[in-house]
Amino acid sequence: MGSIGTSVKGRVELSFLIDALVIKQERVGPGLYFMELQAPEIARKAVPGQFVHMQVSRELEPLLRRPFSIYNADQDKGRLELLYQVVGKGTEILSKAAPGQNLSVLGPLGRGFVLPEKGQKVMVVGGGIGIAPLVFLLKELAAGGISAEVYLGARTKTCLPSLSQVGSMGFQPKVASDDGTIGYHGQITALLERDMADTAIAFLKPDMAYACGPKPMLKSLARLLLAKHIPFQVSLEEHMGCGVGACLSCACKIKANNQEGYLYRHVCVNGPVFPGEEVVWDEA
Amino acid sequence: MKPELSVNIGGIKMKNPVTTASGTFGYGPEYAPYIDLNRLGAIVVKGTTLKSRQGNPTPRIVETPSGMLNAIGLQNPGVDYFIERALPFLSNFDLPVIVNISGDTVEDYGLLAGKLDSASGVAGLEVNISCPNVKKGGLQFGSDPESAAEVVRVIKSSTGLPVIVKLSPNVTSITDLAVSVAEAGADALSLINTILGMAIDIKARRPVLGNIMGGLSGPAVRPVAVRCVWQVYKAVKLPIIGMGGIVSAEDAIEFILAGASAVAVGTANFVNPRATVEILEGIEEYCRKYGCRDIQELVGAAHRQ
Ligand SMILES: Cc1cc2nc3c(=O)[nH]c(=O)nc-3n(C[C@H](O)[C@H](O)[C@H](O)COP(=O)(O)OP(=O)(O)OC[C@H]3O[C@@H](n4cnc5c(N)ncnc54)[C@H](O)[C@@H]3O)c2cc1C
Ligand SMILES: Cc1cc2nc3c(=O)[nH]c(=O)nc-3n(C[C@H](O)[C@H](O)[C@H](O)COP(=O)(O)O)c2cc1C
């Protein structure tokens, strides 16, 4: 059930609707799962920041697909990796999928991160499950020989299953946890704010920051970065219907020169990655 | 032998009875990577208004048992943008384009019909007098037979295009509405639009949708939709496009037996981007299996028992 590209608003879309074989399903933390899927067409096309829209069950309930960031894509093996948190019905069912089972996957969807140029200084900030799209990004950065200052935050130590993976890519992530079980005791943005203010640390002003995490985290991060005029890209979430731009559900406010001061853009086709400066943060 | 599947919906010739439900299929390019649009009987594009509309605050959808509530609020770039920027894409395909229109006032409907009448590549209009998600217009027109008829008369005097009126199930008597718009000159009917509903987040103790209320669609609404088609088929002699929760060929056949000449696939597209084509193939198979040579034999057949 492959497909050919079509030109939508001047850009070529290439995405596929396939039945993907579950290769691996592993619990990697409290309610946290890692899944590997055989999906060669999608893996070949995917870029960091893009997502897949998954049907977790063939029944009518739950009805809609569920969006997940591409945690990693192994082009050679034709495999996709996901990291997801069980939060409700759909993710609960997904966590029960066993190797050998087929799942309907639509993707790769959305616009990914715009990668930095060689020699640019980069910062990557992830909070909670928001780490998911950033690991693929870090892999590409490492492959391009770009070093990055990495900040990762989580509720508790066991919610940071990607730490060693990020380390083995050559990054030395700074870590924070809400309960102090690992790294800085507090929010990741608080650690970042401290480092930015600490003259002894000689904080490198990055040319670009990349971030994904819960809205409140992104909001305080935006405040920090905007104050220092550091450009940034964020991956956003919104309740999604179709994933392809047809239903207009996953709207988010993007600044515009009109009467209202904003336009609704859509996470599925205009995002999920948006320039942080363009997002309307007050209501986020 | 290949069954005859072509149908005529109030002057719109469709090569088969499968079309798309407005607001669930964008303007076409969204689903072109997954299906050959040429295979559709027609395409009904997303709701279009005179001026661009921003739509409602988020969350705009919430999933419910075998269905979903939406309160998009008719976000669209307006009719001029549609004609200049979206319509040309669809003219590359061999399929009738039906434009779904919504107005705040009766005059809006007339102006929209006039603009689309002079645009090339429009096969017909579907008049949304039943959107539950907008404050002005919307359901007001759709729940009062006299206002609904007034809208139809204004549109008919502004265009020669076939006019399909889309009815709401959120009324005491859908047949009263159907009779009224039929007398006012509607060429066909489509039913149903979404059913007004709401969901409350019990942790946050407040409504889930930004707009509080929304329209229910998906398999959950199918029995209501089939009932509406059944009643309206008995009351008026206009072709009907049936929709509401169709996800399979069996569902589509149910609507046709109840009296629909064509069917529209909505929410199912979100789940399966190839739903329209798979439903079409299933209808063809059903005809073969049950020795039906022309789809017309099935239209309203459940009434003739
Ligand atoms: C672009 C994108 C990428 C994402 N990537 C990841 C990821 O890599 N890992 C991960 O764990 N989660 C990710 N999410 C969030 C994930 O989609 C939701 O947690 C999931 O859909 C919840 O489904 P559920 O049935 O378990 O929850 P329920 O609460 O039962 O879901 C009910 C409805 O709400 C929707 N919904 C609930 N939470 C969200 C949310 N945060 N975003 C969008 N829709 C939501 C569901 O899709 C469903 O339609 C991503 C979301 C988006 C939009
Ligand atoms: C997200 C969404 C947007 C919709 N937008 C419109 C619209 O703009 N105009 C309209 O007449 N109906 C609109 N509808 C209603 C559908 O066209 C259809 O009548 C309804 O969803 C029932 O069919 P379904 O259960 O197959 O989805 C919309 C429905 C959904 C789910």
Side-chain angles (χ1 to χ4, degrees), chain B residues 95-143:
Chain B
L95 89 169
V97 176
I98 299 169
V99 185
N100 179 279
I101 57 171
S102 256
D104 288 342
T105 62
V106 177
E107 294 72 53
D108 281 3
Y109 283 100
L111 291 168
L112 277 161
K115 280 183 185 264
L116 289 160
D117 185 67
S118 44
S120 76
V122 178
L125 304 179
E126 181 182 61
V127 186
N128 181 2
I129 49 166
S130 46
C131 184
N133 301 324
V134 289
K135 288 202 181 63
K136 274 192 281 178
L139 209 43
Q140 267 169 29
F141 297 115
S143 49

Side-chain angles (χ1 to χ4, degrees), chain A residues 45-270:
Chain A
K45 278 272 135 299
V47 298
Q50 285 190 299
F51 69 97
V52 288
H53 214 20
M54 308 253 301
Q55 200 176 357
V56 298
S57 140
R58 311 258 167 185
E59 306 297 316
L60 294 179
E61 239 217 292
L63 183 67
L64 299 173
R65 287 172 180 266
R66 301 294 194 256
F68 298 99
S69 301
I70 297 171
Y71 177 71
N72 197 2
D74 186 329
Q75 261 107 5
D76 299 334
K77 287 197 195 141
R79 293 195 180 160
L80 279 182
E81 295 169 13
L82 310 179
L83 181 73
Y84 64 94
Q85 177 87 56
V86 171
V87 297
K89 239 182 333 187
T91 43
E92 177 71 40
I93 293 171
L94 190 64
S95 73
K96 302 281 192 308
Q101 193 176 326
N102 271 308
L103 292 171
S104 171
V105 184
L106 181 61
L109 299 172
R111 289 175 186 246
F113 294 106
V114 178
L115 295 176
E117 321 219 318
K118 230 184 159 65
Q120 283 195 313
K121 295 191 296 278
V122 169
M123 184 164 78
V124 175
V125 187
I129 192 67
I131 247 181
L134 300 175
V135 168
F136 190 8
L137 173 71
L138 287 169
K139 188 181 95 165
E140 294 290 299
L141 293 181
I146 294 167
S147 65
E149 195 85 67
V150 182
Y151 284 83
L152 302 177
R155 201 158 42 80
T156 184
K157 185 179 175 180
T158 47
C159 291
L160 273 170
S162 318
L163 216 48
S164 61
Q165 196 175 353
V166 172
S168 68
M169 289 173 181
F171 301 101
Q172 275 120 39
K174 297 199 173 166
V175 175
S177 57
D178 293 350
D179 64 358
T181 44
I182 188 171
Y184 174 84
H185 189 168
Q187 288 178 336
I188 192 67
T189 43
L191 174 62
L192 180 63
E193 188 167 17
R194 191 195 69 181
D195 285 1
M196 282 171 130
D198 190 340
T199 45
I201 291 184
F203 185 82
L204 289 178
K205 190 178 163 189
D207 299 301
M208 178 61 73
Y210 297 88
C212 184
K215 270 268 175 81
M217 175 201 116
L218 293 179
K219 206 172 158 174
S220 40
L221 181 70
R223 186 177 48 81
L224 294 177
L225 298 177
L226 290 170
K228 296 259 183 219
H229 305 287
I230 298 167
F232 62 116
Q233 298 173 37
V234 287
S235 176
L236 298 181
E237 290 183 6
E238 264 306 334
H239 284 218
M240 196 176 278
C242 66
V244 299
C247 75
L248 307 183
S249 301
C250 56
C252 54
K253 284 184 181 173
I254 297 298
K255 288 177 194 158
N257 267 332
N258 60 7
Q259 214 180 328
E260 291 91 351
Y262 67 85
L263 270 175
Y264 280 118
R265 308 291 280 156
H266 296 90
V267 168
C268 69
V269 288
N270 307 122

Side-chain angles (χ1 to χ4, degrees), chain A residues 246-249, chain B residues 20-24 45-48 61 68 70 72 74 100 102 126-128 130-131 133 166 191-194 215-219 221 243-246 264-268 270:
Chain A
C247 75
L248 307 183
S249 301
Chain B
T20 60
S22 175
T24 68
V45 299
K46 99 166 108 198
T48 300
I61 59 165
M68 59 176 269
N70 91 79
I72 309 300
L74 287 177
N100 179 279
S102 256
E126 181 182 61
V127 186
N128 181 2
S130 46
C131 184
N133 301 324
K166 185 162 178 178
L191 39 135
I192 59 171
N193 209 319
T194 55
L216 183 63
S217 67
V221 311
M243 72 198 78
I246 296 174
V265 180
T267 303
F270 303 164

Side-chain angles (χ1 to χ4, degrees), chain B residues 149-182:
Chain B
E150 173 69 12
V151 169
V152 175
R153 280 192 291 268
V154 167
I155 292 172
K156 287 297 283 186
S157 68
S158 315
T159 178
L161 291 168
V163 174
I164 307 164
V165 180
K166 185 162 178 178
L167 299 180
S168 167
N170 302 316
V171 293
T172 317
S173 165
I174 195 163
T175 52
D176 288 354
L177 261 302
V179 168
S180 184
V181 296

